[in-house]
Amino acid sequence: MEFLNNIFVYIAQWLRGFLAFLGFTGFWIEMFMAVVYLATILGICTLVALFYVLWERKLAGYIQYRPGPNRLGPKGWFQTIADAIKLLTKEDVVPKEADKVVHFLATLFIFVPPVLALGVIPFGQGMAALDLNLGVFYLLAVTSLSTVPIFMAGWGSNNKYSLIGTMRAVAQMVSYEVPLIFSMLGVVLLAGTLQLSEIVESQSTVWYVFLQPVAFIIFLICATAETNRAPFDLPEGESELTAGIYTEYSGMKWALFFLAEYCNIFVVSAIGVTLFLGGWSGPFLPGWVWFILKTHLLFSFFIWIRWTFPRIRIDHLMSFSWKVLVPLSIANIMVTSLIFYLVQ
Amino acid sequence: MELSSLAFWILATMIIISGLGVVFLKNIVHSALALIATFIGAAGIYLTLHSEFLAAIQVLIYAGAIAILIVFGIMLITKGEGKMGETNLFGKYKISAGIVVLIMVSLVSYLVLQTPWQITTELNESLMSDIAKLIFYDHVVAFELAGVLLTVAMIGAIMIARGVKKNG
């Protein structure tokens, strides 16, 4: 049990010991471990995308009372592999009038925020690649950058649908970032720390979802909006904007945006689990299994939301953020700090 | 070479190249994107100096918020290509700009050379709480005034953008 709980920590320790045995100095061991961590995170990203693309289609099928993909492999579970091969072999079309450098770089940069964010998430006890003492703050800083590649994609495509999609995306992500940060502040107030591993440990008695229910609901809404998912998928808006920011992308480049979207949802689910649902803590099973289970449940919840609610209108979207969520989240912080002050 | 000095040289090169890009690129949106790269490079410099808080602030406020607003503004305002020459009103005053820059650079470098820098190799673990104390205890009036100033600026911007209804 103890061994299973720390299996990844032991692997990392063994790897360091093995490198030292081979005669590497401290600097090179650190460099090598950094590469290993990065490779692991990229592997997690890929696996997450491969699995959840199919899981979402299956779940959507279940919600809409249809079988979903069911032809390739057992119960259709190999469908994503076939899709990936199809996308890889497709012709890559770049519009003649597009800003080719920006158009291309956007596909690379779209992966930077989720990869950087996964670096600090504690998947289990002592299982964060970097356990920064500014964890929450770092996450906010990194995820705030995800508007840049979306802007680059939309503007670089030189297409009016893309541009409208970009305008919507930037407006939406900037607006929903504010209540998102405020909802996280409630948790930080209670935990008294910004370090993610300490926030998880301070939830050993009671999860913050019970102490901060309003903040959790605000977090869920804002996380859906930040990842541009239905009912907040106005930047893409297939029925009105063709494919919004993704209109001028084809083949593997389009697939990269798709994969990044799933990575982003995984990241916000992991953040939600860490901040509100007790992270890796849980009985019987090893910590990292609990973490994966909880993240999977939260991810499925986001899928459930997507296939339940219709898309909302852009002006409703903006006024909902500024007139409902922002005041509510500020009130939540005020009430939390007042009670915190009185209890102390 | 040590890791921190290697990181410094990489970041410094990145900052200088992207900073030159901000000035020399022909397209104003490219300049704005280069500006974001400059901000992120500066955040990296803060990281090598063990000021994680400042690094995160730099990314969150400058690269994530201000630069995005600049880019957004440019995107909405510029027509067509967004050439630097058409969008910058003061682009022709080369000589006077050169004089101003010369004065600024000499002033700043004089001040840099005159300041007795305190070099410490200790890690400052409680940097964030130090900053919090400074802002919310020692300089709370200045902090509140800055907040009022920002609110006034925001209201002003909304008034300009939406216009004022008479007798409304």
Side-chain angles (χ1 to χ4, degrees), chain A residues 80-94:
Chain A
T80 319
I81 299 167
D83 286 347
I85 294 169
K86 182 197 83 175
L87 286 167
L88 273 170
T89 50
K90 263 191 161 182
E91 187 190 356
D92 175 38
V93 183
V94 180

Side-chain angles (χ1 to χ4, degrees), chain A residues 15 78 110 117 165 257 267:
Chain A
L15 208 56
F78 294 163
I110 194 87
F257 280 103
V267 167

